[in-house]
Amino acid sequence: SINLNMKNKLISFPLCASLIASIHISAMIPMKKNLSPIQNASKSLKPYLTKLINKEDLCGSETEKIWDLILEGEVSNEQIAGLLCLLKAKGETPQELSGCVKAMKKSALKINIEKPLLDIVGTGGDGANTVNISTMSAVVCSAAGARVGKCGNRSSSSMCGSADVLEGLGLNVTMEPKMAKECFERTGITFMFAPTYFPAMKNVGPVRKSLGIRSTFNIIGPLCNPAYSDRVVIGVYEENLLPLIAQTLIENGEIESGMVIHGCGLDEISPIGPSKVLHVYNIGAKGEKRSYGVKEFVLEPLDFGIARCKVEDLVGGNREENVKSFTEILMEGPNESAKRDSVILNAGVGLYVYGLSSTLKEAFELARNTIESGKALKKLEEWIKISQNL
């Protein structure tokens, strides 16, 4: 087990600098509609900003209310910028993130998919520009028998995001809930394009773009699957986010099993070296409220016969290059490349979390066999064809 107490936090950068940045940024962003004095009084974030200036934590219900107002377009750009800077300077808590996630999911377009449901996703932001490992891993897991609901977006920190590469392969990535559900029912896998499912995010897009820093939105993105996936693999770009994300999963109480991972500077497992993992799993009796155990361990690829590689061996390119890599990596037959090994590692963790394998060794073998048998590429082709004909 591991102590997940998040109370002792370091201030990441000077508070005054964050406030100056938010004021400067607000001057460059188009103002929202004018609010009446009564609306200004009721919609103001001033009480919450005051607490954050005093380095006080907010409770989950407070951040949920704040995010509700932001997503409804009822908060000024100045206050949004100030809020994001202050949260980052103070350091977000699991309770704060939990409230944000609840508000985000409430605002999403609804899609009801039967559980269990797996998502493999990363925060991005590691700067490594690797190929689309989590997206390929999701396809492998689906081909191996897992039910997969992949939520993703276009590139923000890399050259080619999950939506970019899938669209390049021919998938209809902008399916709305009815179509996405039908696609899932016919193939066992579907894609939920974040801008389609979170239309209210347009209210914060200009602020986030102008800020130009990682904010609370970057952290909570992988936690906001609109289909409420209950099996998750979440990669994080910094090691110190491991306990924060794990505890937020516990606060939300929606998953059965999930792994939060960070490996050698990447938001995914790779053969570059060992990865640190926090496994969050439900220990409550069936039918009762979920309660969780947490296991911390180091996943060493060498222990599973996977050779070391360099980060350069995993680097991708633009959309056309990543589309080519996608099909090559999933091609039937043996392939000892580092990119395939990375997909095997991440897909294997997904299969273990989902419950299709009782040990990680068995899970990695299942992932490898699924690719080498041609099942993964066949699943990809089926998924693309069905999505195009809906």
Side-chain angles (χ1 to χ4, degrees), residues 10 27 33 38 60 77 179 239 315 349 360:
L10 296 176
K33 61 186 180 182
I38 294 176
N77 290 322
M179 294 172 63
E239 186 178 329
V315 170
V349 167
L360 284 173

Side-chain angles (χ1 to χ4, degrees), residues 4 11 13 50-51 89 121 126 129 133 140 165 177 196 223 225 231 244 265 268 279 297 308 312 318 345 368 388:
L4 294 176
I11 300 302
F13 58 87
T50 301
K51 289 183 70 173
V121 62
D126 58 25
N129 194 35
I133 291 170
V140 173
V165 73
T196 298
L223 300 166
N225 188 299
R231 269 75 171 177
L244 177 63
E268 53 211 0
H279 184 195
F297 65 97
R308 283 279 190 265
E312 292 80 8
N318 59 29
L345 287 167
R368 185 184 297 277
Q388 292 174 342

Side-chain angles (χ1 to χ4, degrees), residues 313-361:
D313 299 323
L314 305 177
V315 170
N318 59 29
R319 188 171 91 160
E320 290 71 26
E321 292 168 323
N322 278 22
V323 164
K324 182 180 178 182
S325 293
F326 207 108
T327 53
E328 288 177 349
I329 292 166
L330 297 187
M331 193 71 68
E332 180 178 356
N335 180 343
E336 298 303 321
S337 74
K339 292 175 181 176
R340 177 176 282 192
D341 285 342
S342 293
V343 173
I344 289 169
L345 287 167
N346 288 273
V349 167
L351 294 170
Y352 179 78
V353 163
Y354 190 84
L356 287 177
S357 300
S358 58
T359 67
L360 284 173
K361 181 179 179 181

Side-chain angles (χ1 to χ4, degrees), residues 145-183:
R147 303 157 60 89
V148 177
K150 173 69 177 168
C151 185
N153 206 341
R154 301 196 187 280
S155 171
S156 59
S157 59
S158 65
M159 293 177 64
C160 182
S162 58
D164 298 313
V165 73
L166 289 173
E167 187 175 60
L169 287 161
L171 189 82
N172 177 4
V173 299
T174 58
M175 294 179 286
E176 294 190 353
K178 184 177 179 180
M179 294 172 63
K181 183 174 181 179
E182 183 178 349
C183 181

